């Protein structure tokens, strides 16, 4: 089955620790995205990548970093510089990042930092 | 720049009643519009999308939406609500730069 996997589903960390969220897709999509979801605020774009070895900052990139070494993988690192990291994180992909194609979403990772 | 406003963060309807979820957008370029549904602790699933052409768009699960350029609206409707429709719904617009901008979401509750 083609799709997007995110692991783990729930993640707990202590304040001050970096944490990496996994996102893998087998849809052969070129573009991948990371969103943060907070109650009542919809989804906000953190980073996106339209091709391997290239990525751009979204609206709320501060305190986050990404890499895109393989087409299938787009891991997100939440660093200790992120002031309020507790949130639901969603990864998505689309065919090319151009045109009218929709984005396909993974099941999400809920990160809790205490 | 584009933006999306979803009027009503919570909407409650009775089973069998009409569902109407409101979405207004702004965009500096002709918009592409999307409605997504999210069930608890899951990702988003596309319900329907408007790109060009017919302004009344039909989606999955009996939902439809009408693009009204003069009103900058893309409201989502379903004639008869079912308990399984209880979820959060997001309207999104793709404008300049090919990025999606999401509204704040509307949580739909369906009463038996």
């Amino acid at each position: 089955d083609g799709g997007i996997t995110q692991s783990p589903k729930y993640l707990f960390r202590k304040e001050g620790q970096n944490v990496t969220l996994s996102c893998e897709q087998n849809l052969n999509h070129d573009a991948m995205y990371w969103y943060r979801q907070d109650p009542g605020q919809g989804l906000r774009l953190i980073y996106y990548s339209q091709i391997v070895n290239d990525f751009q900052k979204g609206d709320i990139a501060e305190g986050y970093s990404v890499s895109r070494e393989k087409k299938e993988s787009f891991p997100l690192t939440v660093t200790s510089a992120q002031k309020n990291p507790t949130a639901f994180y969603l990864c998505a992909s689309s065919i090319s990042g151009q045109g009218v194609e929709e984005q396909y979403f993974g099941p999400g990772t809920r990160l809790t930092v205490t | 720049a584009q933006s999306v406003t979803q009027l009503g963060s919570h909407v409650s309807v009775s089973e069998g009643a009409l569902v109407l979820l409101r979405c207004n957008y702004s965009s500096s370029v002709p918009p592409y519009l999307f409605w997504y549904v999210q069930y608890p602790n899951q990702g988003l699933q596309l319900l329907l999308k408007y790109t060009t052409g017919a302004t009344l768009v039909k989606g999955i699960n009996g939902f439809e939406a009408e693009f009204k350029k003069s009103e900058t609206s893309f409201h989502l409707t379903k004639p008869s609500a079912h308990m399984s429709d209880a979820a959060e719904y997001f309207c999104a617009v793709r404008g300049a730069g090919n990025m999606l901008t999401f509204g704040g979401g509307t949580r739909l509750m369906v009463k038996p």
Side-chain angles (χ1 to χ4, degrees):
Chain A
D1 274 340
I4 301 175
T5 57
Q6 292 185 243
S7 60
K9 190 165 182 64
Y10 298 95
L11 192 54
F12 298 88
R13 281 294 183 270
K14 294 291 187 184
E15 195 173 321
Q17 293 179 335
N18 292 356
V19 59
T20 297
L21 282 59
S22 168
C23 177
E24 304 277 333
Q25 55 98 0
N26 61 3
L27 299 168
N28 200 32
H29 286 174
D30 283 322
M32 298 186 74
Y33 313 80
W34 273 106
Y35 293 92
R36 171 183 171 132
Q37 185 177 17
D38 297 283
Q41 296 193 48
L43 280 68
R44 293 181 289 168
L45 183 65
I46 305 173
Y47 269 98
Y48 65 99
S49 168
Q50 294 184 307
I51 197 169
V52 174
N53 292 322
D54 187 45
F55 48 83
Q56 283 77 42
K57 293 181 179 179
D59 299 322
I60 56 164
E62 185 175 351
Y64 300 97
S65 65
V66 294
S67 63
R68 186 86 187 277
E69 297 176 0
K70 299 187 300 182
K71 187 175 185 178
E72 305 80 31
S73 179
F74 191 41
L76 173 75
T77 296
V78 184
T79 76
S80 57
Q82 169 48 234
K83 297 303 180 189
N84 186 18
T86 295
F88 190 51
Y89 290 88
L90 287 160
C91 178
S93 70
S94 63
I95 293 173
S96 69
Q98 307 291 328
V100 303
E101 77 272 9
E102 63 263 31
Q103 294 182 11
Y104 295 80
F105 285 80
T109 292
R110 187 167 297 281
L111 173 65
T112 302
V113 177
T114 57
Chain B
Q2 54 265 8
S3 67
V4 177
T5 301
Q6 292 184 238
L7 293 175
S9 58
H10 293 79
V11 170
S12 181
V13 300
S14 297
E15 193 173 19
L18 170 71
V19 175
L20 171 60
L21 305 182
R22 299 178 186 274
C23 172
N24 289 89
Y25 70 91
S26 68
S27 177
S28 57
V29 299
Y32 300 143
L33 295 154
F34 303 79
W35 273 102
Y36 284 86
V37 60
Q38 184 182 34
Y39 297 99
N41 291 312
Q42 294 186 25
L44 276 66
Q45 178 185 5
L46 182 70
L47 276 177
L48 49 81
K49 66 179 180 182
Y50 168 79
T51 55
T52 59
T55 56
L56 182 62
V57 180
K58 295 186 184 300
I60 62 171
N61 301 339
F63 284 94
E64 61 182 38
E66 186 171 10
F67 171 61
K68 292 187 176 181
K69 184 178 178 180
S70 61
E71 298 177 8
T72 61
S73 70
F74 191 56
H75 300 332
L76 182 71
T77 61
K78 182 174 180 178
S80 177
H82 191 272
M83 296 298 291
S84 61
D85 295 326
E88 189 153 21
Y89 292 81
F90 292 93
C91 181
V93 61
R94 166 165 278 172
N98 287 316
M99 290 298 111
L100 282 181
T101 297
F102 287 85
T106 297
R107 185 168 300 278
L108 176 65
M109 294 166 284
V110 182
K111 298 175 293 186

